[in-house]
Each structure stands twice: as C-alpha cells, then as structure tokens.
Amino acid sequence: MHVTILTLFPNVFPGSLGVSLIGKALEEGVFTLDIVDLKKFSIKGGRVDGPPCGGGCGMLLSPEVLEAALASLPSPISSGERKFIYPSPRGELLSQKIAYNLSKLQDIVILCGRYEGIDARILEKYSFVEMSVGDYVLMGGEVAAMALIEASVRLIPGVVGAPDSLREDSFVVSSAPLLEYPQYTHPVQWNEYSVPPVLLSGHHEAIHQWRLAEARTITRTQRPDLWNQYVARALGE
Ligand code: SAM
C-alpha cells in the first residue's frame, strides 16, 4: 500500500505510524508513506489559505495550493485506482469494515485539512471521499489520517503476527460484531484482584463460552446500538 499525505505539518509524521508493529511494517515496505508539505506550494507571499467567500470565521486552504500539491504527485504506482480521502467530520464514520476495505487498496492519497477546512471545489475535482473519525471536531486532519492508516495497515496480512488476534478484536468485520471480552495476564493474583479461574482451567470450550458471555454483557451495557444489531441478527431479522 502506498500512502501519500498532504499536510501543512509534515513533522507530525510518521508519529504513531513509526513505532511497534506498524513501524516495522513501514520499515519493511509493507506500506510506504510519502509526506507532502503543502507550504511548499504556497502562493502570493507564502499564503496557503483565504477567507471564506460569503463571510464567516476562519480560513480555508486554497484550491490553487492544493491543486499544485496534487499535480506534483507521481503517477499511480499501479494500474489500480488511486483513492483520494479527505478526513472530515462530515464524512462517513470510520469503521472496521471501512478499514478492511482500505487495507486492500494500493494507492491512497489523504489530504489533511486545517483551520476552517478546504475549498470545496478540490473535493469535487478529485472525487475525494470524506471520512470522519468521530462526531467531534479536531484541529486538523493529521490525527484522523493516522487513525485511518493504522486501522487499515494492521489488517494487511502479516502486519500483526498472530491472525487470531485480529479475529478476536472488537468490531471484527461482521454484520453484527461484539466488543472484546476482558483480558488478563500474569500475575494471577494482583493486589486483591485475581484472574477469573475459568481462564486458568485449560478447558477451551469453557473459556470460549465465558469470553462470549463477557463480550455479550460488555456490548449490551457499553454499546446498545451494536447489541441491538447483534440480537436482530441472532433472531434472523
Ligand atoms: N469547519 C469544519 C467543520 O465544521 O466541519 C471543521 C474544520 S477542522 C477545525 C479542521 C480539519 O480537521 C478539517 O478540515 C478536517 O480535515 C479535520 N477534522 C476535524 N475533525 C475531524 C473528524 N472528526 N474526522 C476527520 N477529520 C477531522
């Protein structure tokens, strides 16, 4: 997967994408990261932005700057489609399913907005898909871009050592997922807390049943929306 990120703050990267297993994947070329500094494409006295037409607060990234940056990108590395993503609170909410679909792509361009956002004509010209990481507003698209890439790259086969750990994750790609059950490590007794005895029993079916029951309880109490989907699926609706 080849990822290009257009940003006013290139120093933010690779950030969390450069550590641990995802950092190893970057080092080994499972995915590549090209960071494009939008400031290099500034116009008239170093400007990258302008006030909104029609009035209003803040500034918008200029279409001329963004166009020049996009035009500077090398041609797509493969005949496959290049996907243009604009992280935005207006976009479809990032989900495990979307991350899974992104993990199959070979060429992704992410444009990080700042200030009040960007000129809308760029979205239209390049058919950007807007994607949100939650119903709140960040200062810029950089953290959202990292979340998008991290969630997708970890689903590329081989990035996370044990495939089972992906299958057991919360939100595994399914039409009605459950959240993950609680997990414990050693020591078995820690202060006044102990590991649930069933997990030490060596009885695989009992452990599976316990984990399923816990996952159901957690989903029901913490995410009633997911629980309702799960119940509907169980009832064959
Ligand atoms: N005026 C914009 C609005 O109300 O939708 C918010 C602009 S925000 C301060 C600046 C940039 O942060 C956006 O252009 C976008 O790229 C990014 N951003 C903010 N919140 C986000 C979110 N929830 N998901 C993805 N990107 C976000």
Side-chain angles (χ1 to χ4, degrees):
M1 180 195 286
H2 184 68
V3 183
T4 306
I5 298 179
L6 293 89
T7 171
L8 283 174
F9 300 97
N11 294 346
V12 169
F13 296 95
S16 69
L17 302 174
V19 301
S20 188
L21 291 180
I22 192 122
K24 189 164 166 260
L26 182 56
E27 218 174 274
E28 291 176 350
V30 175
F31 75 109
T32 59
L33 208 50
D34 261 0
I35 309 300
V36 176
D37 184 355
L38 289 172
K39 288 196 271 316
K40 289 197 178 140
F41 301 91
S42 57
I43 40 163
K44 291 177 243 150
R47 290 207 72 85
V48 291
D49 54 7
C53 294
C57 311
M59 300 291 262
L60 300 169
L61 297 185
S62 139
E64 289 157 299
V65 171
L66 300 178
E67 160 86 306
L70 287 162
S72 78
L73 302 185
S75 317
I77 43 169
S78 76
S79 52
E81 202 187 319
R82 173 172 273 174
K83 179 121 181 156
F84 292 90
I85 298 175
Y86 172 54
S88 155
R90 293 193 314 206
E92 187 179 358
L93 270 184
L94 178 61
S95 63
Q96 192 71 356
K97 190 168 173 206
I98 291 178
Y100 180 74
N101 291 337
L102 293 179
S103 76
K104 307 253 175 251
L105 301 180
Q106 294 193 328
D107 193 341
I108 300 176
V109 174
I110 304 180
L111 169 57
C112 301
R114 272 277 153 176
Y115 316 129
E116 272 310 303
I118 68 174
D119 187 293
R121 290 168 289 185
I122 279 290
L123 299 179
E124 195 182 331
K125 173 158 185 196
Y126 286 87
S127 304
F128 271 94
V129 174
E130 296 187 57
M131 265 178 213
S132 169
V133 292
D135 290 340
Y136 45 79
V137 180
L138 296 165
M139 299 290 283
E142 289 76 11
V143 168
M146 268 186 221
L148 268 158
I149 300 165
E150 192 166 312
S152 310
V153 169
R154 75 186 287 279
L155 296 176
I156 296 176
V159 171
V160 173
D164 274 354
S165 69
L166 293 180
R167 270 199 291 278
E168 304 268 302
D169 273 344
S170 297
F171 308 114
V172 279
V173 178
S174 130
S175 57
L178 290 172
L179 300 178
E180 196 184 56
Y181 45 80
Q183 303 254 49
Y184 305 85
T185 183
H186 296 275
V188 166
Q189 189 68 40
W190 172 71
N191 294 332
E192 69 269 44
Y193 305 99
S194 48
V195 172
V198 64
L199 299 179
L200 309 169
S201 68
H203 192 305
H204 296 303
E205 182 53 26
I207 292 171
H208 170 73
Q209 290 304 332
W210 181 87
R211 286 177 166 166
L212 183 60
E214 289 291 317
R216 284 178 173 152
T217 304
I218 287 172
T219 308
R220 195 176 63 240
T221 51
Q222 297 187 185
R223 287 290 301 271
D225 56 325
L226 291 180
W227 176 248
N228 289 339
Q229 288 172 27
Y230 178 80
V231 172
R233 197 178 116 175
L235 294 173
E237 283 172 16

